[in-house]
Structure formats: structure tokens, C-alpha cells
Amino acid sequence: MKTIDSSNHKTAYVIGCAICIIPSQIIMIKYRPSIYLPTLELAWGITTGLMAAAKDANLIYAIRFLIGVCEASSYPGIVTILMMWYNPSELARRVAIFGTSYPAANIFVGAMQAALHSSMDGLSGWRWLFIFNGIMTVVVALAGYFLLPGSPSNTRVFWLGKDHMQIAKDRMEKIGRAVPTGLTSEKLGKAFKTWPLWVFTLAYSLIPTGAYVLQTAATLPPAHISDKTMRPFRQVTIQLMIVVAGCIILSIWPSSFSLKMTSFHLLFLSNSAGPILVGIIIGIAVAFVYAIDSFANIFIYPASEAPNYPVGYKVAAVFGAVCIYATWTMGRMWRRDM
């Protein structure tokens, strides 16, 4: 098989995500999330399994694009459901708990993948990886049809009683959160005119097995402090300052291997700020991130310049500084409107 370029491999995926995130969020307003999200998860699992049958690099790029299409709804969709059940003082911690599932999974999946790659016979190791990943995704998708709730007003899951749903409805009414209704062109236009969308999109879009451990450990405490103090922008800024410091060190590319590895691990703290920001707004901003990411990696982080990326880390440091400014700007405007 033709050698697969890692940048093209990722680009195909993020293009699929970027194209479908916003349409997916709109569709989820019309159809129950408890049906829509597991259905896309099911297609995601089947498509992942089909990667094992790919015969050339171009087909793999095409399948990765389809996986991006199916996965586009996953993160913003789950966060949307969480927003239907939790109030602003609870949301960041719940999103953080959900967010830690990704880095935590990578801690253990790496070992599983190594075992599959070296111990399975009959097919190439990488093909077995996609087969097992596809099977696991399909199992989770099927469970989602029975376990994933929609909004408190229309959920049908067996594990919630009428009293639980009434409590949830009362909680949302108390904070003035309306029951989801149909989307009109007027509502969509109004959403694009609100300042949090654009300021947060700027901030979120510029936030670029040990690194995942650090990310997992660093995600929950800031989110907890954010919920308790209701000062999310301060926590985000602290994490971004650490990330900028890591980018500056890597842009210099010091001779010390330990210093380079420490700086690289610090970059993963940028993901820890996500749950706090996501508690403010989601969906369109994530789509913007994927849209930029779909082409930026090819020019900023080309595979041929790995691992020191003479341009990439400098650009990331500048983006981080701009992101800090955008975060503080958003904080001032937020306090003004409260």
C-alpha cells in the first residue's frame, strides 16, 4: 500500500467534521438526540471497521472523511445534552468529566492496540485494530439507544422516572432555560449576531501515554474551581499562559531532551480549558476550529518538518497569546452583560 501521509490522513478527517458539525447541531434540534447520536455512532463504528478492508491510501483518506462526518456530532452533541440537564454552576465539571474520557481512554487503548498489533494472526496488525475499534464503537452505539437521554421534556430512557424528569424540568425553568424548539432563520441569524459566539470562537479556535495522563489530571480541578467561583476566564487564562510558555520553548528547540518533552506535555493543558469554555457556548465554534485545522496542519505542521516544526510552534505561541487576549476580552464583556 502507498505510504499514508499523516497530515493528509488527519486533514481528511477534520474536513468531514468541519462540514457537518453545524448541520448536525441543527438536525439534533428537530430529531431526538437519543436516536440521532447513536445512529451516527453506529455508522461511525461500521465505517471504522471498513478501514481494515482498505487497499490503498486514497481509500483510507475517503473513509477517514466519512468517519469525520459521523463523528462531527459526538462532542457538541453530548455537551448539548448536558446543557439540557445541568445549570451553569454545574456544567463545566460535567463537561470536564466527559472530556477526561478521551485522554483516559488513550492511556489504556495504547496498550490494547500494541497487544492486538503483535499477537493477532491472519491479517496485518493495523487491520485488526480497526476491526476491534469498529466492534467496540458499534456496541457503544447500540447501548446508546437505550441509555442516552434527550431533553427533560421528551426523554424516554427506562432509568429515569417521571419524578426525576419533573425535577429536571423545574431546575431548568428556575434558571430560565427554555425547552428546545424548532430552529427558524430568525433564530439562526440572531445566534450569529451575539458577541459570545465570535469572541469564544476566536478563543476556542486558537487553543491548540504521559501527556494524556497530565491532561486527565488537569481537566477536573480547574473546572471545579470555575463552577465554584463562577470565574471561568481566570482559569482558562492560567492554563493558556502555561501552554504559551511550552510553545515558546519548543519554538526555540533547546538541546535538552527533558525540557523539550516537558514543554510538549504542557501543550496538552490547552485541552483542559475546553470544558470551561464549552460551558459557555459550543457547536459553531468547534466547527470553526475544524475548518481551520483541516488546512492549517498541512502548512504549519507538515509531516516533513517533524518533530521540531520550526514554524508550527512559533505560530502556536502567537495563537496562544491572542487567545489569552480574547479570553480576557470575553470576560470583560461577560461581566458587562451580566
Side-chain angles (χ1 to χ4, degrees), residues 8-9 12 40-41 50 72 88 135 137 147 156 160 167 177 204-205 221 233 255 266 268 321 327 336-338:
N8 292 338
H9 185 260
L40 286 179
E41 181 94 0
L50 290 175
I135 291 172
T137 305
L147 300 177
R156 302 177 187 176
L160 283 175
I167 292 173
R177 186 165 293 163
Y204 191 89
S205 64
F233 306 102
S255 58
L266 291 178
F268 281 71
T327 301
R336 182 198 67 190
D337 291 351
M338 289 296 288

Side-chain angles (χ1 to χ4, degrees), residues 119-156:
S119 63
M120 300 297 291
D121 298 324
L123 295 173
S124 300
W126 67 269
R127 296 186 189 274
W128 280 117
L129 295 181
F130 286 115
I131 291 173
F132 275 86
N133 282 336
I135 291 172
M136 290 187 294
T137 305
V138 167
V139 170
V140 172
L142 294 176
Y145 286 113
F146 303 97
L147 300 177
L148 193 65
S151 71
S153 61
N154 65 8
T155 185
R156 302 177 187 176

Side-chain angles (χ1 to χ4, degrees), residues 11 27 74 80 107 109 117 125 137 142 161 163 194 225 236 245 250 262 302:
T11 296
I27 292 172
S74 176
T80 298
I107 297 170
V109 168
H117 194 275
T137 305
L142 294 176
D163 53 338
T194 57
I225 296 173
V236 172
L250 287 173
T262 300

Side-chain angles (χ1 to χ4, degrees), residues 5-8 295-312:
D5 185 278
S6 59
S7 294
N8 292 338
F295 68 86
N297 280 295
I298 297 176
F299 301 104
I300 300 175
Y301 296 105
S304 60
E305 295 182 357
N308 58 323
Y309 299 113
V311 175

Side-chain angles (χ1 to χ4, degrees), residues 211 245-268 307-309 313:
C247 288
I248 292 174
I249 294 172
L250 287 173
S251 68
I252 299 171
W253 203 249
S255 58
S256 170
F257 176 77
S258 298
L259 182 57
K260 284 186 287 196
M261 288 303 298
T262 300
S263 302
F264 174 76
H265 282 63
L266 291 178
L267 303 188
F268 281 71
N308 58 323
Y309 299 113
Y313 291 124

Side-chain angles (χ1 to χ4, degrees), residues 8 52 54 56 77 80 98 147 171 173 215 238 245 279-280 284 307 310 327:
N8 292 338
D56 61 67
T80 298
F98 170 63
L147 300 177
R171 278 165 41 84
E173 289 177 0
Q215 181 184 337
I238 292 172
I280 306 170
I284 295 175
T327 301

